[in-house]
Amino acid sequence: MTVNLLEQNHLYLLNKIEKESFAYSVNSSISRKKKLGQFFTDSSVANYMSTLFSFKKSIDKKLKVLDCGAGHGVLAIALLYKLVTKGYKTIELTLYEIDNEALKYLDDNLKLFKENHDSINFSYTIIQKNFILDNGSNKFDYIISNPPYFKLNKSDLEAKSMSYIVHGQPNIYMLFMAKSGELLTDKGEMVFITPRSFTSGTYFKKFREYLLDKLSLEHIHIFNSRKKHFKNETILQETIITKFIKEPSDNITITSSEDSKFLVLNSLKVKREMIIERGRNIIGIPSSKEDIEVLKLFSASQQTFRDMGYKISTGKVVTFRSREYIHIDKYNLFSSNQKSVPLLWMQNFKKEKLIFPLDSKKEQYIQNLDKTKSLLIKNENYIIVKRFSSKEQHRRINIGYIFKDKLPYDYLGLENHLNYIYREERQLKKDEMKLLGSFLTSKEVDQYFRIFNGNTQVNATDILNLPIPAELFKGYKCQE
Ligand SMILES: C[S@@+](CC[C@H](N)C(=O)[O-])C[C@H]1O[C@@H](n2cnc3c(N)ncnc32)[C@H](O)[C@@H]1O
């Protein structure tokens, strides 16, 4: 067959798979799709993913290829075609799929591929078993996958079988990635399309540690528009493509495109240590030259908030658990020997200023009793960091100040949506607070946060691990 004809046949096959998958998906109930974690990849995304492999294995080698959670086979077929065009002649493909009804399509599509490529030595095996629970002993040179995404319980068999990477509630996709990593041959490569959550989520900490210890992250692709890359599916999560290789590598390439048409592809190359945070292995994803400059600025900093002795905790008052102790009115329901103290919410901080009391129907007081002591904090100087930002707020980090002398109380209650920064051994000084506050709300910190954190939540540990550029405290003398 001529090259042109091969390509035409390939495009025809991918087009056929895409159409069939679309029809299949439309006729499948939402609950069934959720149970299987079944969302089909567009052929343009499959093609793009296949271009990310480096194909370092010798073309004379018998290649072993895996697609786990194969669906109708779009990813495997895109990769197979790439391998054929690179000159590989002996390919053994393994596919895992548990959906009975998808198997017929998968088998038909692979038969068609085989017919189109009768000059190569190609064989395939479809394994109709749970990929995570199967004990196959094969290793693979190239793995491509769009794994199922859904949350598991810790007690589910899949989670139990890989408990060494489970920390909190696991998502099945991370088990697919970790297990695939275990099945790679030396210098093997795997390319996955998954939610972005594993790059920074707390529940993925053990998984990141495990995977980044075994493999090198070599490529990240992000889509600037959240919804446009699965044109036939409704995916609300931010999705990324990652490539991991089983050999040491210090550089990571980051590409971005608007959508699945990949018309304009921006590309950056960074050093591994610049985007993989020490300690929690959080993976930052810079997407512009300005982002790289910000990373350079921060990577030159030796000290974090934690190193400098600052502490950060989360407000302990969870209102639905403390209903009986919290009140709208200061004196309401209290006998004369009971005292109430302010209960501060996110709404109490406007443009960094504390406004108390608010003109509102919120419960603004909490009883100061032996029973509630563990929920209260001493009235001291604190920098408040809101844990969530609203859509209108253009910065991720929104702060406020509590100055001890502004509130005539010994204790305060802080609602659970607030974090507070303090030092254990001494009060924060006012000028020190302003210095840290203006740093936290700077454009650079906002950018740094966005690079490392895909969602809008600000966790206490995110702040503790934030590097503080040395210049910030240059010339500053804390007056005791
Ligand atoms: C997100 S879909 C991707 C399908 C196809 N690879 C694609 O990209 O269009 C994941 C597939 O994995 C299958 N699957 C779900 N759980 C599985 C498991 N434990 N083992 C093997 N396959 C599974 C689902 O039936 C579904 O077809």
Side-chain angles (χ1 to χ4, degrees):
M1 241 188 263
T2 64
V3 174
N4 264 348
L5 193 55
L6 273 181
E7 188 167 348
Q8 267 177 31
N9 283 344
H10 177 60
L11 292 178
Y12 169 81
L13 179 53
L14 284 190
N15 202 13
K16 166 185 174 293
I17 301 178
E18 193 170 290
K19 276 193 185 140
E20 281 171 359
S21 308
F22 179 57
Y24 189 86
S25 184
V26 168
N27 291 320
S28 185
S29 70
I30 292 182
S31 61
R32 186 169 181 281
K33 281 197 248 185
K34 275 197 171 158
K35 191 166 155 255
L36 290 167
Q38 194 166 57
F39 297 97
F40 296 106
T41 315
D42 291 357
S43 56
S44 58
V45 174
N47 266 334
Y48 176 70
M49 286 170 70
S50 73
T51 64
L52 296 182
F53 290 86
S54 317
F55 307 108
K56 285 186 192 155
K57 303 264 173 175
S58 153
I59 56 165
D60 302 321
K61 188 183 180 317
K62 174 163 124 192
L63 274 192
K64 292 199 170 183
V65 176
L66 170 70
D67 179 349
C68 40
H72 292 190
V74 68
L75 293 178
I77 285 171
L79 174 57
L80 286 173
Y81 183 70
K82 224 358 137 244
L83 291 171
V84 173
T85 58
K86 293 283 170 193
Y88 291 98
K89 298 222 160 29
T90 311
I91 306 170
E92 226 177 71
L93 170 70
T94 303
L95 309 108
Y96 278 83
E97 178 52 64
I98 50 166
D99 175 10
N100 275 336
E101 290 172 40
L103 291 177
K104 187 180 89 53
Y105 294 94
L106 184 58
D107 195 39
D108 278 356
N109 293 331
L110 288 161
K111 272 191 191 128
L112 268 177
F113 180 85
K114 202 169 160 56
E115 278 167 25
N116 288 347
H117 299 277
D118 53 1
S119 62
I120 63 161
N121 188 357
F122 167 64
S123 63
Y124 65 92
T125 313
I126 299 175
I127 303 182
Q128 195 190 346
K129 285 186 186 162
N130 187 322
F131 173 61
I132 302 301
L133 301 179
D134 189 39
N135 287 326
S137 56
N138 267 335
K139 294 264 176 182
F140 299 94
D141 301 303
Y142 297 126
I143 301 179
I144 192 163
S145 177
N146 173 9
Y149 326 145
F150 54 81
K151 287 183 181 148
L152 293 167
N153 289 318
K154 269 184 155 179
S155 55
D156 286 338
L157 285 180
E158 290 91 339
K160 276 185 167 164
S161 74
M162 297 187 80
S163 57
Y164 46 93
I165 54 160
V166 172
H167 168 85
Q169 187 172 33
N171 193 308
I172 191 160
Y173 83 80
M174 83 176 190
L175 304 186
F176 267 67
M177 290 177 87
K179 175 135 191 200
S180 296
E182 291 167 7
L183 299 180
L184 275 183
T185 54
D186 273 349
K187 296 195 167 50
E189 305 175 26
M190 65 183 212
V191 175
F192 270 71
I193 181 163
T194 62
R196 177 181 172 162
S197 48
F198 80 88
T199 61
S200 61
T202 313
Y203 289 174
F204 296 90
K205 185 169 173 269
K206 261 183 154 178
F207 161 71
R208 283 194 298 271
E209 222 168 77
Y210 182 79
L211 198 69
L212 292 169
D213 182 52
K214 285 198 166 339
L215 307 177
S216 304
L217 172 60
E218 208 196 44
H219 195 120
I220 304 173
H221 181 85
I222 54 171
F223 298 94
N224 295 332
S225 145
R226 235 170 226 235
K227 290 188 190 140
K228 289 192 203 149
H229 48 285
F230 279 104
K231 61 177 183 282
N232 295 329
E233 306 278 9
T234 317
I235 303 277
L236 296 175
Q237 295 216 43
E238 188 175 355
T239 311
I240 60 173
I241 296 170
T242 43
K243 172 190 176 189
F244 290 86
I245 57 173
K246 196 165 172 180
E247 66 178 304
S249 168
D250 277 343
N251 293 316
I252 300 173
T253 302
I254 297 160
T255 49
S256 59
S257 63
E258 191 51 33
D259 51 30
S260 63
K261 293 194 189 97
F262 301 95
L263 289 179
V264 181
L265 211 60
N266 291 317
S267 179
L268 301 165
K269 207 170 212 158
V270 290
K271 287 265 170 240
R272 176 194 154 92
E273 65 267 16
M274 202 184 258
I275 64 161
I276 300 186
E277 190 205 55
R278 283 160 288 171
R280 294 178 298 167
N281 284 312
I282 288 185
I283 302 167
I285 310 186
S287 58
S288 65
K289 295 225 164 69
E290 295 82 67
D291 282 355
I292 302 278
E293 288 311 309
V294 166
L295 284 175
K296 279 188 188 152
L297 179 80
F298 281 88
S299 65
S301 315
Q302 296 301 322
Q303 295 205 316
T304 60
F305 266 75
R306 179 189 275 117
D307 299 333
M308 292 189 67
Y310 292 102
K311 303 272 173 198
I312 178 162
S313 300
T314 302
K316 293 175 186 61
V317 183
V318 179
T319 48
F320 74 87
R321 288 197 203 122
S322 318
R323 281 266 167 254
E324 55 186 308
Y325 306 116
I326 63 177
H327 305 282
I328 297 171
D329 185 344
K330 182 176 181 181
Y331 298 105
N332 202 5
L333 302 171
F334 292 116
S335 64
S336 56
N337 61 354
Q338 283 179 323
K339 284 187 187 145
S340 66
V341 298
L343 168 60
L344 303 178
W345 301 69
M346 297 228 278
Q347 291 81 347
N348 286 98
F349 298 91
K350 296 227 164 68
K351 294 193 177 152
E352 302 181 3
K353 270 210 176 97
L354 170 64
I355 300 179
F356 180 83
L358 289 172
D359 181 15
S360 122
K361 287 269 169 279
K362 264 194 181 311
E363 294 88 347
Q364 297 193 66
Y365 294 92
I366 178 163
Q367 294 175 36
N368 179 4
L369 310 168
D370 283 347
K371 273 190 200 160
T372 57
K373 266 279 181 304
S374 62
L375 302 178
L376 305 180
I377 56 171
K378 273 195 181 154
N379 178 17
E380 290 189 347
N381 291 345
Y382 297 107
I383 302 173
I384 296 295
V385 181
K386 297 185 183 181
R387 288 179 58 202
F388 300 91
S389 48
S390 65
K391 284 209 185 92
E392 305 81 60
Q393 287 161 327
H394 68 288
R395 293 262 151 93
R396 287 277 167 92
I397 299 194
N398 293 287
I399 65 159
Y401 298 103
I402 296 179
F403 297 113
K404 177 187 167 85
D405 51 11
K406 291 272 160 54
L407 289 169
Y409 295 89
D410 291 338
Y411 287 90
L412 304 171
L414 286 189
E415 198 273 331
N416 191 247
H417 285 74
L418 298 173
N419 289 319
Y420 56 102
I421 298 177
Y422 57 100
R423 293 190 76 95
E424 250 161 17
E425 77 290 4
R426 65 166 171 84
Q427 280 278 324
L428 294 180
K429 307 289 162 195
K430 284 190 181 168
D431 52 353
E432 173 189 22
M433 290 166 76
K434 290 285 177 187
L435 205 59
L436 290 172
S438 60
F439 168 64
L440 283 170
T441 51
S442 65
K443 199 171 108 246
E444 289 77 12
V445 167
D446 185 62
Q447 215 165 334
Y448 186 81
F449 246 78
R450 286 172 199 274
I451 295 170
F452 280 96
N453 188 341
N455 60 46
T456 51
Q457 198 169 330
V458 179
N459 294 317
T461 34
D462 295 336
I463 302 283
L464 278 182
N465 286 326
L466 192 65
I468 301 185
E471 307 87 71
L472 188 72
F473 280 96
K474 227 179 209 163
Y476 173 76
K477 286 218 167 46
C478 181
Q479 307 292 327
E480 289 296 325

